[in-house]
Structures are given as structure tokens and as C-alpha cells.
Coordinates of all heavy atoms in Angstrom, one line a residue:
S1 N -16.0 14.6 -5.4 CA -14.8 15.0 -4.5 C -13.8 15.6 -5.4 O -13.7 15.4 -6.6 CB -14.3 13.7 -3.8 OG -13.1 14.0 -3.1
D2 N -13.0 16.5 -4.7 CA -11.9 17.1 -5.4 C -10.6 16.4 -5.2 O -9.5 16.7 -5.8 CB -11.7 18.6 -4.9 CG -12.9 19.4 -5.3 OD1 -13.5 19.1 -6.4 OD2 -13.3 20.3 -4.6
N3 N -10.6 15.4 -4.2 CA -9.4 14.7 -3.8 C -9.7 13.4 -3.3 O -10.6 13.3 -2.4 CB -8.6 15.5 -2.8 CG -7.2 14.9 -2.5 OD1 -6.9 13.9 -3.1 ND2 -6.4 15.6 -1.7
L4 N -9.1 12.3 -3.7 CA -9.4 11.0 -3.2 C -9.1 10.8 -1.7 O -9.7 10.0 -1.0 CB -8.5 9.9 -4.0 CG -8.9 9.6 -5.4 CD1 -7.9 8.7 -6.1 CD2 -10.3 9.1 -5.5
A5 N -8.2 11.6 -1.2 CA -7.8 11.6 0.2 C -9.0 12.0 1.1 O -9.0 11.7 2.3 CB -6.6 12.4 0.5
E6 N -10.0 12.7 0.5 CA -11.1 13.1 1.3 C -12.1 12.0 1.5 O -13.0 12.2 2.4 CB -11.8 14.3 0.5 CG -11.0 15.5 0.4 CD -11.7 16.6 -0.4 OE1 -12.8 16.3 -0.9 OE2 -11.1 17.7 -0.6
V7 N -12.0 10.9 0.8 CA -12.9 9.8 0.9 C -12.3 8.7 1.8 O -11.3 8.1 1.4 CB -13.3 9.2 -0.4 CG1 -14.4 8.1 -0.3 CG2 -13.8 10.3 -1.4
P8 N -12.8 8.5 3.0 CA -12.1 7.5 4.0 C -12.0 6.1 3.4 O -11.0 5.5 3.6 CB -13.0 7.6 5.2 CG -13.8 8.9 5.1 CD -13.9 9.1 3.6
E9 N -13.1 5.7 2.7 CA -13.0 4.3 2.2 C -11.9 4.1 1.2 O -11.1 3.2 1.2 CB -14.4 3.9 1.6 CG -15.5 3.9 2.5 CD -16.1 5.3 2.7 OE1 -15.5 6.3 2.3 OE2 -17.3 5.3 3.3
L10 N -11.8 5.1 0.2 CA -10.8 5.0 -0.8 C -9.4 5.2 -0.2 O -8.4 4.6 -0.6 CB -11.0 6.0 -1.9 CG -12.3 5.7 -2.7 CD1 -12.5 6.8 -3.8 CD2 -12.4 4.4 -3.3
K11 N -9.3 6.1 0.8 CA -8.0 6.3 1.4 C -7.5 5.0 2.1 O -6.3 4.7 2.0 CB -8.1 7.5 2.4 CG -6.8 7.9 3.0 CD -6.9 9.0 4.0 CE -5.6 9.4 4.6 NZ -5.8 10.5 5.6
G12 N -8.4 4.3 2.8 CA -8.0 3.1 3.4 C -7.6 2.0 2.4 O -6.6 1.3 2.6
M13 N -8.3 2.0 1.3 CA -7.9 1.0 0.3 C -6.6 1.3 -0.3 O -5.8 0.4 -0.5 CB -9.0 1.0 -0.8 CG -10.4 0.5 -0.4 SD -11.6 0.7 -1.7 CE -10.8 -0.2 -3.0
A14 N -6.3 2.6 -0.5 CA -5.0 3.0 -1.1 C -3.9 2.7 -0.1 O -2.8 2.2 -0.5 CB -5.0 4.5 -1.4
Y15 N -4.1 2.9 1.2 CA -3.1 2.6 2.2 C -2.9 1.1 2.3 O -1.7 0.6 2.4 CB -3.5 3.2 3.6 CG -2.5 2.8 4.7 CD1 -1.4 3.6 4.8 CD2 -2.8 1.8 5.6 CE1 -0.5 3.3 5.8 CE2 -1.9 1.5 6.6 CZ -0.7 2.3 6.7 OH 0.2 2.0 7.7
E16 N -3.9 0.3 2.2 CA -3.8 -1.1 2.3 C -3.0 -1.7 1.1 O -2.1 -2.5 1.2 CB -5.2 -1.8 2.3 CG -5.2 -3.3 2.5 CD -6.6 -3.9 2.5 OE1 -7.5 -3.1 2.5 OE2 -6.7 -5.1 2.5
D17 N -3.3 -1.2 -0.1 CA -2.6 -1.6 -1.3 C -1.1 -1.2 -1.2 O -0.3 -2.0 -1.6 CB -3.2 -1.0 -2.6 CG -4.6 -1.5 -2.8 OD1 -4.9 -2.6 -2.3 OD2 -5.4 -0.8 -3.5
S18 N -0.9 0.0 -0.7 CA 0.5 0.5 -0.6 C 1.3 -0.4 0.4 O 2.4 -0.8 0.2 CB 0.5 1.9 -0.1 OG 1.9 2.3 0.1
S19 N 0.6 -0.8 1.5 CA 1.2 -1.7 2.5 C 1.6 -3.0 1.9 O 2.6 -3.6 2.2 CB 0.3 -1.8 3.8 OG 0.1 -0.6 4.3
K20 N 0.6 -3.6 1.1 CA 0.9 -4.9 0.5 C 2.1 -4.8 -0.4 O 2.9 -5.7 -0.4 CB -0.4 -5.3 -0.2 CG -1.5 -5.7 0.6 CD -2.7 -6.2 -0.2 CE -3.8 -6.6 0.7 NZ -5.0 -7.1 -0.1
V21 N 2.1 -3.7 -1.2 CA 3.3 -3.6 -2.2 C 4.6 -3.5 -1.4 O 5.6 -4.1 -1.8 CB 3.1 -2.4 -3.1 CG1 4.3 -2.1 -3.9 CG2 1.9 -2.6 -4.0
T22 N 4.6 -2.7 -0.3 CA 5.8 -2.6 0.5 C 6.2 -3.9 1.1 O 7.4 -4.3 1.1 CB 5.6 -1.5 1.6 OG1 5.1 -0.3 1.1 CG2 6.8 -1.3 2.4
S23 N 5.3 -4.7 1.6 CA 5.6 -6.0 2.2 C 6.2 -6.9 1.1 O 7.2 -7.6 1.4 CB 4.3 -6.6 2.7 OG 3.8 -5.8 3.8
Y24 N 5.6 -6.9 -0.1 CA 6.2 -7.7 -1.2 C 7.6 -7.3 -1.5 O 8.4 -8.2 -1.8 CB 5.3 -7.7 -2.4 CG 3.9 -8.3 -2.2 CD1 2.8 -7.8 -2.9 CD2 3.7 -9.3 -1.3 CE1 1.5 -8.3 -2.7 CE2 2.4 -9.9 -1.1 CZ 1.3 -9.4 -1.8 OH 0.1 -9.9 -1.6
L25 N 7.8 -6.0 -1.5 CA 9.2 -5.6 -1.9 C 10.2 -6.0 -0.8 O 11.3 -6.4 -1.1 CB 9.2 -4.0 -2.0 CG 8.5 -3.5 -3.3 CD1 8.5 -2.0 -3.2 CD2 9.1 -4.0 -4.5
I26 N 9.8 -5.9 0.5 CA 10.7 -6.3 1.6 C 11.0 -7.8 1.5 O 12.1 -8.2 1.6 CB 10.1 -5.9 2.9 CG1 10.0 -4.4 3.1 CG2 10.9 -6.5 4.1 CD1 9.3 -3.9 4.4
I27 N 10.0 -8.6 1.3 CA 10.2 -10.0 1.2 C 11.1 -10.4 0.0 O 12.0 -11.2 0.1 CB 8.8 -10.8 1.0 CG1 8.0 -10.6 2.3 CG2 9.0 -12.2 0.7 CD1 6.6 -11.1 2.2
A28 N 10.9 -9.7 -1.1 CA 11.7 -10.0 -2.3 C 13.1 -9.6 -2.0 O 14.1 -10.3 -2.4 CB 11.1 -9.2 -3.5
L29 N 13.3 -8.4 -1.4 CA 14.7 -7.9 -1.1 C 15.4 -8.9 -0.1 O 16.6 -9.2 -0.3 CB 14.6 -6.5 -0.5 CG 16.0 -5.8 -0.2 CD1 16.8 -5.7 -1.4 CD2 15.7 -4.5 0.4
V30 N 14.7 -9.3 0.9 CA 15.3 -10.3 1.9 C 15.7 -11.6 1.2 O 16.8 -12.2 1.4 CB 14.4 -10.5 3.0 CG1 14.9 -11.6 3.9 CG2 14.2 -9.2 3.9
S31 N 14.8 -12.1 0.3 CA 15.1 -13.3 -0.4 C 16.3 -13.2 -1.3 O 17.2 -14.1 -1.3 CB 13.9 -13.7 -1.2 OG 12.7 -13.9 -0.4
V32 N 16.4 -12.1 -2.0 CA 17.6 -11.9 -2.9 C 18.8 -11.8 -2.1 O 19.9 -12.4 -2.5 CB 17.3 -10.7 -3.8 CG1 18.6 -10.4 -4.6 CG2 16.2 -11.0 -4.8
S33 N 18.8 -11.0 -1.0 CA 20.0 -10.8 -0.2 C 20.4 -12.2 0.4 O 21.6 -12.5 0.5 CB 19.7 -9.8 0.9 OG 19.3 -8.6 0.4
T34 N 19.5 -13.0 0.9 CA 19.8 -14.3 1.5 C 20.5 -15.2 0.5 O 21.5 -15.9 0.8 CB 18.6 -14.9 2.1 OG1 18.0 -14.1 3.0 CG2 18.9 -16.2 2.7

């Protein structure tokens, strides 16, 4: 492949990892703010 985005399996994995990181950041931010 010339681009990881062309592979559905890897693209889904990357999106899932990104979502997990975003969730962790939101939880950490809310905890610190509280």
C-alpha cells in the first residue's frame, strides 16, 4: 500500500486508538478540573 488509510482494517484500528486516547484525555481533564 502507499497509504495506511487505504487499508480498512488498519484505518479502523487507528481510529479506535485515537478515540481511546481522546476519552482518556477528557476523563483526565474533567478529574483535574473537579
Side-chain angles (χ1 to χ4, degrees):
S1 176
D2 296 326
N3 189 355
L4 287 176
E6 298 176 354
V7 185
E9 295 87 346
L10 297 180
K11 184 178 179 181
M13 293 173 58
Y15 178 77
E16 182 180 356
D17 294 340
S18 177
S19 300
K20 289 182 179 179
V21 172
T22 303
S23 300
Y24 293 150
L25 290 176
I26 293 175
I27 294 173
L29 182 60
V30 172
S31 301
V32 172
S33 301
T34 303

